[in-house]
Amino acid sequence: ELKSFVPVVFEVKKLEEQYDKAFYDVLEKELMEKKFDTMKNTLEFIQSFFKIFVKEAQQKEIDDFLDIKHMEQQFQHDCFSSNDFYNLFSYFFNLLKNLQSVARDEDLEKFQDSLEESKENINVVEHLKNLMQSIKWLIEDFEALKETKET
């Protein structure tokens, strides 16, 4: 009944933080249980996202580099190593460097430095968070650019 309707006010930032925390908690739990579903979906998103911004030749390179089915098999058989995760994140951070605003270079360098420092013992969830944050920034920057062109 509309008379008793009370609007619910959310703090979008807090809601987004709670969602992110829940997502990464589930991802971490699944990785520990040798489940690859959430990671696979995330990698498919990342693959599709980057292919939007690159030329056709580089799209093929992304597909060749990110053979998700092969990665899943390696992961399930304990053959996907810290070095493989390092290479994965390093590849996409380097792609980002060519796509993002120069204003984001310092943030990306911090993420790359963190990756380099943990090369021997990769925290997959931490670096995936960094990669996803970089993707969010790229989207924000494109939206800001679009707004300035419209005005």
Side-chain angles (χ1 to χ4, degrees):
E1 172 153 325
L2 287 177
K3 291 179 184 177
S4 63
F5 173 75
V6 178
V8 178
V9 179
F10 290 104
E11 290 185 47
V12 175
K13 188 77 172 158
K14 282 187 178 181
L15 189 61
E16 186 178 332
E17 288 171 5
Q18 288 177 339
Y19 170 83
D20 285 349
K21 182 177 177 352
F23 172 80
Y24 291 114
D25 286 349
V26 168
L27 177 64
E28 186 169 29
K29 182 176 185 253
E30 285 187 8
L31 290 174
M32 292 176 79
E33 294 172 353
K34 299 294 181 206
K35 294 179 183 173
F36 201 72
D37 294 338
T38 302
M39 187 67 172
K40 177 181 175 182
N41 291 335
T42 305
L43 291 173
E44 287 171 347
F45 163 76
I46 291 168
Q47 182 179 37
S48 298
F49 177 83
F50 278 100
K51 286 171 60 176
I52 291 170
F53 297 102
V54 298
K55 294 182 178 167
E56 193 172 326
Q58 199 166 18
Q59 290 176 5
K60 174 84 170 101
E61 177 187 301
I62 291 170
D63 285 339
D64 290 344
F65 177 80
L66 195 60
D67 183 348
I68 296 172
K69 285 185 180 191
H70 182 69
M71 288 174 65
E72 182 176 17
Q73 290 174 347
Q74 287 183 306
F75 181 81
Q76 290 174 338
H77 293 97
D78 287 325
C79 299
F80 203 79
S81 67
S82 280
N83 192 53
D84 293 320
F85 278 117
Y86 170 83
N87 291 335
L88 174 77
F89 292 120
S90 184
Y91 178 81
F92 284 108
F93 284 141
N94 285 328
L95 267 180
L96 271 166
K97 191 162 189 82
N98 296 325
L99 297 172
Q100 72 178 6
S101 163
V102 175
R104 301 286 188 185
D105 282 354
E106 189 175 317
D107 294 317
L108 185 61
E109 284 178 27
K110 288 178 186 173
F111 290 159
Q112 287 176 306
D113 290 346
S114 173
L115 178 64
E116 196 62 40
E117 290 168 9
S118 66
K119 188 175 183 177
E120 299 302 316
N121 190 20
I122 297 287
N123 180 329
V124 174
V125 174
E126 175 189 335
H127 297 296
L128 185 61
K129 282 180 191 178
N130 293 345
L131 179 58
M132 295 303 285
Q133 180 59 57
S134 298
I135 289 171
K136 286 179 185 179
W137 287 334
L138 182 63
I139 292 168
E140 288 172 10
D141 292 346
F142 276 120
E143 288 174 349
L145 181 64
K146 180 182 171 193
E147 288 175 14
T148 56
K149 285 188 174 188
E150 291 175 350
T151 55

